[in-house]
Amino acid sequence: MGMHTALNELEHDGGGQFDPRFAKTFVDLIRTEFWRPSELDAFLAEGADQFEYVRARARMEAIIELDRLQAPSCVMNMAS
């Protein structure tokens, strides 16, 4: 789900799970402070490398990429 879709859902259906005033205030804040998704992504990414999940995922992606680069070309062609 994209950010805009999530904000729209929260704004329109937030009263069922959250205080509607809180949901509207939160959505307005996000739209005002982080009006571009890239800015929100950058904000959320700050310090993300401190979380074990993020570090483990980066290690796994590096291992997969290394394995992909070391695989014989005939195996890679069969996978295509």
Coordinates of all heavy atoms in Angstrom, one line a residue:
M1 N 0.9 -1.2 0.0 CA 0.0 0.0 0.0 C 0.9 1.2 0.0 O 1.8 1.3 0.8 CB -0.9 0.0 1.2 CG -1.7 1.2 1.4 SD -2.7 1.3 2.9 CE -3.7 -0.2 2.8
G2 N 0.6 2.2 -0.9 CA 1.4 3.4 -0.9 C 1.0 4.3 0.2 O 0.0 4.2 0.8
M3 N 1.9 5.3 0.3 CA 1.7 6.3 1.4 C 0.4 7.1 1.2 O -0.3 7.3 2.2 CB 2.9 7.3 1.5 CG 2.7 8.3 2.6 SD 4.1 9.5 2.7 CE 3.7 10.5 1.3
H4 N 0.2 7.5 0.0 CA -1.0 8.3 -0.3 C -2.3 7.5 0.0 O -3.3 8.0 0.6 CB -1.0 8.9 -1.7 CG 0.1 9.8 -1.9 ND1 0.1 11.1 -1.3 CD2 1.2 9.7 -2.6 CE1 1.2 11.7 -1.7 NE2 1.9 10.9 -2.5
T5 N -2.3 6.2 -0.4 CA -3.4 5.4 -0.1 C -3.6 5.2 1.4 O -4.8 5.2 1.9 CB -3.2 4.0 -0.8 OG1 -3.0 4.2 -2.2 CG2 -4.4 3.1 -0.6
A6 N -2.5 4.9 2.1 CA -2.6 4.7 3.5 C -3.1 6.0 4.2 O -4.0 5.9 5.1 CB -1.2 4.3 4.1
L7 N -2.7 7.1 3.8 CA -3.1 8.4 4.4 C -4.6 8.6 4.1 O -5.4 9.0 5.0 CB -2.3 9.6 3.9 CG -0.9 9.6 4.5 CD1 -0.1 10.8 3.8 CD2 -0.8 9.7 6.0
N8 N -5.0 8.3 2.9 CA -6.4 8.5 2.6 C -7.3 7.5 3.4 O -8.4 7.9 3.9 CB -6.7 8.2 1.1 CG -6.2 9.4 0.2 OD1 -6.1 10.5 0.7 ND2 -5.9 9.1 -1.0
E9 N -6.9 6.3 3.5 CA -7.6 5.3 4.3 C -7.7 5.8 5.8 O -8.8 5.7 6.4 CB -7.0 3.9 4.3 CG -7.4 3.2 3.0 CD -7.0 1.7 3.1 OE1 -7.0 1.1 4.3 OE2 -6.8 1.1 2.1
L10 N -6.6 6.2 6.3 CA -6.5 6.7 7.7 C -7.5 7.9 7.9 O -8.2 8.0 8.9 CB -5.1 7.0 8.1 CG -4.9 7.4 9.5 CD1 -5.3 6.3 10.5 CD2 -3.4 7.7 9.8
E11 N -7.4 8.7 6.9 CA -8.3 10.0 7.0 C -9.7 9.6 6.9 O -10.5 10.2 7.7 CB -7.9 10.9 5.9 CG -8.5 12.3 5.9 CD -8.0 13.2 4.9 OE1 -7.8 12.7 3.7 OE2 -7.7 14.3 5.2
H12 N -10.1 8.7 6.1 CA -11.5 8.4 5.9 C -12.1 7.3 6.8 O -13.3 7.4 7.2 CB -11.8 8.0 4.4 CG -11.5 9.1 3.4 ND1 -12.2 10.3 3.4 CD2 -10.5 9.3 2.5 CE1 -11.7 11.1 2.5 NE2 -10.7 10.5 1.9
D13 N -11.2 6.4 7.2 CA -11.7 5.3 8.0 C -11.1 5.2 9.3 O -11.3 4.3 10.1 CB -11.5 3.9 7.3 CG -12.1 3.9 5.9 OD1 -13.2 4.5 5.8 OD2 -11.6 3.3 5.0
G14 N -10.3 6.2 9.7 CA -9.5 6.2 10.9 C -10.4 6.3 12.1 O -10.0 5.8 13.2
G15 N -11.6 6.8 12.0 CA -12.5 6.9 13.2 C -12.9 5.5 13.8 O -13.2 5.4 14.9
G16 N -12.7 4.4 13.0 CA -13.1 3.1 13.5 C -12.0 2.6 14.4 O -12.4 1.8 15.4
Q17 N -10.8 2.9 14.2 CA -9.7 2.3 15.0 C -9.1 3.4 15.9 O -8.5 3.1 16.9 CB -8.6 1.7 14.1 CG -9.1 0.6 13.3 CD -7.9 0.0 12.5 OE1 -6.8 0.4 12.5 NE2 -8.3 -1.0 11.7
F18 N -9.1 4.6 15.5 CA -8.5 5.7 16.2 C -9.5 6.9 16.4 O -10.5 6.9 15.8 CB -7.3 6.3 15.4 CG -6.3 5.3 15.0 CD1 -6.3 4.8 13.6 CD2 -5.4 4.7 15.9 CE1 -5.4 3.9 13.2 CE2 -4.5 3.8 15.5 CZ -4.5 3.3 14.1
D19 N -9.1 7.7 17.3 CA -9.9 8.9 17.5 C -9.9 9.7 16.2 O -8.8 10.0 15.7 CB -9.3 9.8 18.7 CG -10.0 11.0 18.9 OD1 -10.6 11.6 18.0 OD2 -10.0 11.5 20.1
P20 N -11.0 10.0 15.6 CA -11.0 10.7 14.3 C -10.2 12.0 14.3 O -9.6 12.4 13.3 CB -12.5 11.0 14.0 CG -13.3 10.2 15.0 CD -12.4 9.8 16.1
R21 N -10.2 12.7 15.4 CA -9.5 14.0 15.5 C -8.0 13.7 15.4 O -7.2 14.4 14.8 CB -9.8 14.7 16.8 CG -11.3 15.2 16.8 CD -11.6 15.8 18.2 NE -11.4 14.6 19.1 CZ -11.5 14.7 20.4 NH1 -11.8 15.9 21.0 NH2 -11.4 13.7 21.2
F22 N -7.5 12.6 16.1 CA -6.1 12.2 16.1 C -5.7 11.8 14.6 O -4.7 12.3 14.1 CB -5.9 11.1 17.0 CG -4.5 10.5 16.8 CD1 -3.4 11.2 17.4 CD2 -4.3 9.3 16.1 CE1 -2.1 10.7 17.2 CE2 -3.0 8.8 16.0 CZ -1.9 9.5 16.5
A23 N -6.6 11.0 14.0 CA -6.3 10.6 12.6 C -6.2 11.7 11.7 O -5.2 11.8 10.9 CB -7.4 9.6 12.1
K24 N -7.1 12.7 11.8 CA -7.0 13.9 10.9 C -5.8 14.7 11.2 O -5.1 15.1 10.2 CB -8.3 14.7 11.0 CG -8.2 16.0 10.1 CD -9.5 16.7 10.1 CE -9.5 18.0 9.3 NZ -8.3 18.2 8.4
T25 N -5.5 14.9 12.4 CA -4.3 15.7 12.8 C -3.0 15.0 12.3 O -2.1 15.7 11.8 CB -4.3 15.9 14.3 OG1 -5.5 16.6 14.7 CG2 -3.1 16.8 14.7
F26 N -3.0 13.7 12.5 CA -1.8 13.0 12.1 C -1.6 13.1 10.5 O -0.5 13.3 10.0 CB -1.9 11.5 12.5 CG -0.8 10.7 12.0 CD1 0.5 10.7 12.6 CD2 -1.0 9.8 10.9 CE1 1.5 9.9 12.2 CE2 0.1 9.0 10.5 CZ 1.3 9.1 11.1
V27 N -2.7 12.8 9.8 CA -2.6 12.9 8.3 C -2.2 14.3 7.9 O -1.4 14.5 7.0 CB -4.0 12.5 7.7 CG1 -4.1 12.8 6.2 CG2 -4.2 11.0 8.0
D28 N -2.8 15.3 8.5 CA -2.5 16.7 8.1 C -1.0 17.0 8.4 O -0.3 17.6 7.6 CB -3.3 17.7 8.9 CG -4.8 17.7 8.4 OD1 -5.1 17.1 7.3 OD2 -5.6 18.3 9.1
L29 N -0.5 16.5 9.5 CA 0.9 16.7 9.9 C 1.8 16.0 8.8 O 2.8 16.6 8.4 CB 1.2 16.1 11.3 CG 2.7 16.1 11.7 CD1 3.1 17.5 11.9 CD2 2.9 15.3 12.9
I30 N 1.5 14.7 8.5 CA 2.4 14.0 7.5 C 2.3 14.7 6.2 O 3.4 14.9 5.5 CB 1.9 12.6 7.4 CG1 2.2 11.8 8.7 CG2 2.6 11.9 6.2 CD1 3.6 11.7 9.1
R31 N 1.2 15.1 5.8 CA 1.0 15.8 4.5 C 1.8 17.2 4.4 O 2.3 17.6 3.4 CB -0.4 16.0 4.1 CG -1.0 14.7 3.6 CD -2.4 14.9 3.1 NE -2.9 13.6 2.5 CZ -4.1 13.2 2.6 NH1 -5.1 14.0 3.2 NH2 -4.5 12.1 2.1
T32 N 1.8 17.8 5.6 CA 2.4 19.2 5.6 C 3.9 19.0 5.8 O 4.7 19.7 5.1 CB 1.9 20.0 6.8 OG1 0.6 19.6 7.2 CG2 1.9 21.4 6.5
E33 N 4.4 18.2 6.7 CA 5.8 18.1 7.0 C 6.5 17.2 6.0 O 7.7 17.5 5.7 CB 6.0 17.5 8.4 CG 5.4 18.4 9.5 CD 6.2 19.7 9.5 OE1 7.4 19.8 9.4 OE2 5.5 20.7 9.8
F34 N 5.9 16.2 5.4 CA 6.5 15.3 4.5 C 5.7 15.1 3.3 O 5.2 14.1 3.0 CB 6.7 13.9 5.2 CG 7.4 14.0 6.5 CD1 6.6 13.8 7.7 CD2 8.7 14.2 6.6 CE1 7.2 13.9 8.9 CE2 9.3 14.2 7.9 CZ 8.6 14.1 9.0
W35 N 5.6 16.2 2.5 CA 4.7 16.2 1.4 C 5.2 15.4 0.2 O 4.4 15.0 -0.6 CB 4.3 17.6 1.0 CG 5.5 18.4 0.5 CD1 6.4 19.1 1.3 CD2 5.9 18.6 -0.8 NE1 7.3 19.7 0.5 CE2 7.1 19.4 -0.8 CE3 5.4 18.3 -2.1 CZ2 7.7 19.9 -2.0 CZ3 6.0 18.7 -3.2 CH2 7.2 19.5 -3.1
R36 N 6.5 15.1 0.2 CA 7.0 14.2 -0.8 C 7.4 12.9 -0.2 O 8.0 12.8 0.8 CB 8.3 14.8 -1.5 CG 7.9 16.0 -2.3 CD 9.2 16.5 -3.0 NE 9.2 17.9 -2.8 CZ 10.2 18.7 -2.8 NH1 11.4 18.2 -3.0 NH2 10.1 20.0 -2.6
P37 N 7.0 11.7 -0.9 CA 7.3 10.4 -0.3 C 8.8 10.2 -0.1 O 9.2 9.6 0.9 CB 6.8 9.5 -1.4 CG 5.7 10.2 -2.1 CD 6.1 11.7 -2.1
S38 N 9.7 10.8 -1.0 CA 11.1 10.6 -0.8 C 11.6 11.3 0.5 O 12.5 10.8 1.1 CB 11.9 11.2 -2.0 OG 11.6 12.6 -2.1
E39 N 11.0 12.4 0.9 CA 11.3 13.0 2.1 C 10.9 12.2 3.3 O 11.7 12.0 4.3 CB 10.7 14.4 2.3 CG 11.3 15.4 1.3 CD 10.6 16.8 1.4 OE1 9.7 17.0 2.2 OE2 11.0 17.7 0.6
L40 N 9.8 11.6 3.3 CA 9.3 10.7 4.3 C 10.2 9.4 4.4 O 10.6 9.0 5.5 CB 7.9 10.3 4.1 CG 7.3 9.3 5.2 CD1 7.3 9.9 6.6 CD2 5.9 8.9 4.8
D41 N 10.5 8.9 3.2 CA 11.4 7.7 3.2 C 12.8 8.1 3.8 O 13.3 7.3 4.6 CB 11.6 7.2 1.8 CG 10.4 6.6 1.2 OD1 9.5 6.3 2.0 OD2 10.3 6.5 0.0
A42 N 13.3 9.2 3.5 CA 14.6 9.6 4.0 C 14.5 9.8 5.6 O 15.4 9.4 6.3 CB 15.1 10.9 3.4
F43 N 13.4 10.4 6.0 CA 13.2 10.6 7.4 C 13.1 9.2 8.2 O 13.8 9.0 9.2 CB 11.9 11.4 7.7 CG 11.6 11.5 9.1 CD1 12.2 12.3 10.0 CD2 10.5 10.7 9.7 CE1 11.9 12.4 11.4 CE2 10.2 10.8 11.0 CZ 10.9 11.6 11.8
L44 N 12.4 8.3 7.6 CA 12.2 7.0 8.2 C 13.5 6.2 8.2 O 13.8 5.3 9.0 CB 11.1 6.2 7.6 CG 9.7 6.8 7.8 CD1 8.7 6.0 6.9 CD2 9.3 6.8 9.2
A45 N 14.3 6.4 7.2 CA 15.6 5.7 7.0 C 16.7 6.1 7.9 O 17.6 5.4 8.2 CB 16.1 5.8 5.6
E46 N 16.6 7.3 8.5 CA 17.6 7.8 9.4 C 17.7 6.9 10.6 O 16.8 6.6 11.3 CB 17.2 9.2 9.9 CG 17.4 10.3 8.9 CD 17.1 11.7 9.5 OE1 17.1 11.9 10.7 OE2 16.8 12.6 8.6
G47 N 18.9 6.4 10.8 CA 19.2 5.5 11.9 C 18.7 4.1 11.7 O 18.8 3.3 12.6
A48 N 18.1 3.8 10.5 CA 17.6 2.4 10.3 C 18.6 1.4 10.4 O 18.3 0.2 10.9 CB 16.9 2.3 9.0
D49 N 19.9 1.7 10.1 CA 20.9 0.7 10.2 C 21.3 0.3 11.6 O 22.1 -0.6 11.8 CB 22.2 1.2 9.4 CG 22.7 2.5 10.0 OD1 22.0 3.2 10.7 OD2 23.9 2.8 9.7
Q50 N 20.7 0.9 12.6 CA 20.9 0.6 14.0 C 20.0 -0.6 14.4 O 20.2 -1.2 15.4 CB 20.6 1.8 14.9 CG 21.6 2.9 14.7 CD 21.2 4.1 15.5 OE1 20.4 4.0 16.4 NE2 21.8 5.2 15.2
F51 N 19.0 -0.9 13.5 CA 18.1 -2.0 13.9 C 18.6 -3.3 13.3 O 19.1 -3.4 12.2 CB 16.7 -1.8 13.3 CG 16.0 -0.6 13.9 CD1 16.0 0.6 13.3 CD2 15.4 -0.8 15.2 CE1 15.3 1.7 13.9 CE2 14.7 0.3 15.8 CZ 14.7 1.5 15.2
E52 N 18.6 -4.4 14.1 CA 19.2 -5.7 13.8 C 18.5 -6.2 12.5 O 19.2 -6.8 11.6 CB 19.1 -6.7 14.9 CG 19.7 -8.0 14.6 CD 21.1 -8.0 14.2 OE1 21.9 -7.1 14.7 OE2 21.6 -8.8 13.4
Y53 N 17.2 -6.0 12.4 CA 16.5 -6.5 11.2 C 17.1 -5.9 9.9 O 17.3 -6.6 8.9 CB 15.0 -6.2 11.3 CG 14.3 -6.4 10.0 CD1 13.9 -7.7 9.5 CD2 14.0 -5.3 9.1 CE1 13.3 -7.9 8.3 CE2 13.4 -5.5 7.9 CZ 13.0 -6.8 7.5 OH 12.4 -7.0 6.3
V54 N 17.3 -4.6 9.9 CA 17.9 -3.9 8.7 C 19.3 -4.4 8.4 O 19.6 -4.7 7.3 CB 17.8 -2.4 8.9 CG1 18.5 -1.7 7.8 CG2 16.4 -1.9 9.1
R55 N 20.1 -4.6 9.5 CA 21.5 -5.1 9.3 C 21.5 -6.5 8.7 O 22.2 -6.8 7.8 CB 22.3 -5.0 10.5 CG 22.6 -3.5 11.0 CD 23.6 -3.4 12.0 NE 23.4 -4.3 13.2 CZ 22.8 -3.9 14.3 NH1 22.4 -2.7 14.4 NH2 22.6 -4.8 15.3
A56 N 20.6 -7.4 9.3 CA 20.5 -8.7 8.8 C 20.0 -8.8 7.4 O 20.6 -9.6 6.6 CB 19.6 -9.5 9.7
R57 N 19.1 -8.0 7.0 CA 18.6 -8.0 5.7 C 19.6 -7.5 4.7 O 19.8 -8.1 3.6 CB 17.3 -7.1 5.6 CG 16.8 -7.1 4.2 CD 15.5 -6.3 4.1 NE 15.1 -6.2 2.7 CZ 13.9 -5.7 2.3 NH1 13.1 -5.3 3.2 NH2 13.6 -5.7 1.0
A58 N 20.4 -6.5 5.1 CA 21.5 -6.1 4.2 C 22.6 -7.2 4.0 O 23.1 -7.4 2.9 CB 22.2 -4.8 4.8
R59 N 22.9 -7.9 5.1 CA 23.8 -9.0 5.0 C 23.3 -10.1 4.1 O 24.0 -10.6 3.2 CB 24.1 -9.6 6.4 CG 25.0 -8.7 7.2 CD 25.5 -9.4 8.4 NE 24.5 -10.0 9.3 CZ 23.9 -9.3 10.3 NH1 24.3 -8.1 10.6 NH2 23.0 -9.9 11.1
M60 N 22.0 -10.4 4.2 CA 21.4 -11.5 3.3 C 21.4 -11.0 1.9 O 21.7 -11.8 1.0 CB 20.0 -11.8 3.8 CG 19.9 -12.5 5.1 SD 18.3 -12.8 5.9 CE 17.1 -12.7 4.6
E61 N 21.1 -9.8 1.6 CA 21.1 -9.3 0.2 C 22.5 -9.3 -0.4 O 22.7 -9.7 -1.5 CB 20.5 -7.9 0.2 CG 19.0 -7.8 0.4 CD 18.5 -6.4 0.5 OE1 19.3 -5.4 0.6 OE2 17.2 -6.3 0.5
A62 N 23.5 -9.0 0.5 CA 24.9 -9.1 0.0 C 25.3 -10.5 -0.3 O 25.9 -10.8 -1.4 CB 25.8 -8.5 1.0
I63 N 24.9 -11.5 0.5 CA 25.2 -12.9 0.3 C 24.5 -13.4 -1.0 O 25.1 -14.0 -1.8 CB 24.8 -13.7 1.5 CG1 25.7 -13.4 2.7 CG2 24.8 -15.2 1.1 CD1 25.2 -14.0 4.0
I64 N 23.3 -13.0 -1.2 CA 22.5 -13.4 -2.4 C 23.2 -12.8 -3.6 O 23.3 -13.5 -4.7 CB 21.0 -13.0 -2.3 CG1 20.4 -13.8 -1.2 CG2 20.3 -13.1 -3.6 CD1 19.0 -13.3 -0.8
E65 N 23.5 -11.6 -3.6 CA 24.2 -10.9 -4.7 C 25.5 -11.6 -5.0 O 25.8 -11.8 -6.2 CB 24.4 -9.4 -4.5 CG 25.0 -8.7 -5.6 CD 24.2 -8.6 -6.9 OE1 23.0 -9.0 -6.9 OE2 24.8 -8.3 -7.9
L66 N 26.3 -11.9 -4.0 CA 27.6 -12.5 -4.2 C 27.4 -13.9 -4.9 O 28.1 -14.3 -5.8 CB 28.3 -12.6 -2.9 CG 29.7 -13.3 -2.9 CD1 30.7 -12.4 -3.8 CD2 30.3 -13.4 -1.5
D67 N 26.4 -14.6 -4.4 CA 26.1 -15.9 -4.9 C 25.7 -15.8 -6.4 O 26.1 -16.6 -7.2 CB 25.0 -16.6 -4.1 CG 24.8 -18.0 -4.5 OD1 25.7 -18.8 -4.5 OD2 23.6 -18.4 -4.8
R68 N 24.9 -14.8 -6.7 CA 24.4 -14.6 -8.0 C 25.6 -14.3 -8.9 O 25.7 -14.8 -10.1 CB 23.4 -13.5 -8.1 CG 22.8 -13.3 -9.5 CD 21.9 -12.0 -9.5 NE 22.7 -10.8 -9.5 CZ 23.4 -10.3 -10.5 NH1 23.4 -10.9 -11.6 NH2 24.1 -9.2 -10.4
L69 N 26.5 -13.5 -8.5 CA 27.7 -13.1 -9.3 C 28.6 -14.3 -9.5 O 29.3 -14.4 -10.5 CB 28.4 -12.0 -8.7 CG 27.7 -10.6 -8.6 CD1 28.5 -9.6 -7.8 CD2 27.4 -10.1 -10.0
Q70 N 28.7 -15.2 -8.5 CA 29.6 -16.4 -8.6 C 29.0 -17.6 -9.3 O 29.7 -18.5 -9.6 CB 30.0 -16.8 -7.2 CG 30.9 -15.7 -6.6 CD 31.3 -16.1 -5.2 OE1 30.8 -17.0 -4.6 NE2 32.2 -15.4 -4.6
A71 N 27.7 -17.5 -9.6 CA 27.0 -18.7 -10.2 C 27.5 -18.8 -11.6 O 27.8 -17.8 -12.3 CB 25.5 -18.5 -10.2
P72 N 27.7 -20.1 -12.1 CA 28.1 -20.3 -13.5 C 27.1 -19.7 -14.4 O 25.9 -19.7 -14.2 CB 28.2 -21.8 -13.6 CG 28.2 -22.3 -12.2 CD 27.6 -21.3 -11.4
S73 N 27.6 -19.2 -15.6 CA 26.7 -18.5 -16.5 C 25.7 -19.4 -17.1 O 24.5 -19.0 -17.4 CB 27.5 -17.8 -17.6 OG 28.2 -18.8 -18.3
C74 N 26.0 -20.7 -17.2 CA 25.0 -21.6 -17.8 C 23.8 -21.8 -16.8 O 22.6 -21.9 -17.2 CB 25.6 -23.0 -18.1 SG 26.2 -23.9 -16.7
V75 N 24.0 -21.8 -15.5 CA 23.0 -21.8 -14.5 C 22.1 -20.6 -14.6 O 20.9 -20.6 -14.5 CB 23.5 -22.1 -13.1 CG1 22.4 -22.0 -12.1 CG2 24.2 -23.4 -13.1
M76 N 22.8 -19.4 -14.7 CA 22.1 -18.2 -14.8 C 21.2 -18.1 -16.0 O 20.1 -17.6 -16.0 CB 23.1 -17.0 -14.7 CG 23.7 -16.8 -13.4 SD 24.9 -15.5 -13.3 CE 24.0 -14.1 -13.8
N77 N 21.7 -18.7 -17.2 CA 20.9 -18.6 -18.4 C 19.7 -19.5 -18.3 O 18.6 -19.2 -18.8 CB 21.8 -19.1 -19.6 CG 22.8 -18.1 -20.0 OD1 22.6 -16.9 -19.7 ND2 23.9 -18.5 -20.6
M78 N 19.8 -20.6 -17.6 CA 18.7 -21.5 -17.4 C 17.6 -20.9 -16.5 O 16.4 -21.1 -16.7 CB 19.1 -22.9 -16.8 CG 20.0 -23.7 -17.7 SD 20.6 -25.2 -16.9 CE 19.1 -26.0 -16.4
A79 N 18.0 -20.0 -15.6 CA 17.1 -19.4 -14.7 C 16.3 -18.3 -15.4 O 15.2 -17.9 -14.9 CB 17.8 -18.8 -13.5
S80 N 16.8 -17.8 -16.5 CA 16.1 -16.7 -17.2 C 14.9 -17.1 -17.9 O 14.7 -18.2 -18.4 CB 17.1 -16.1 -18.2 OG 18.2 -15.6 -17.6

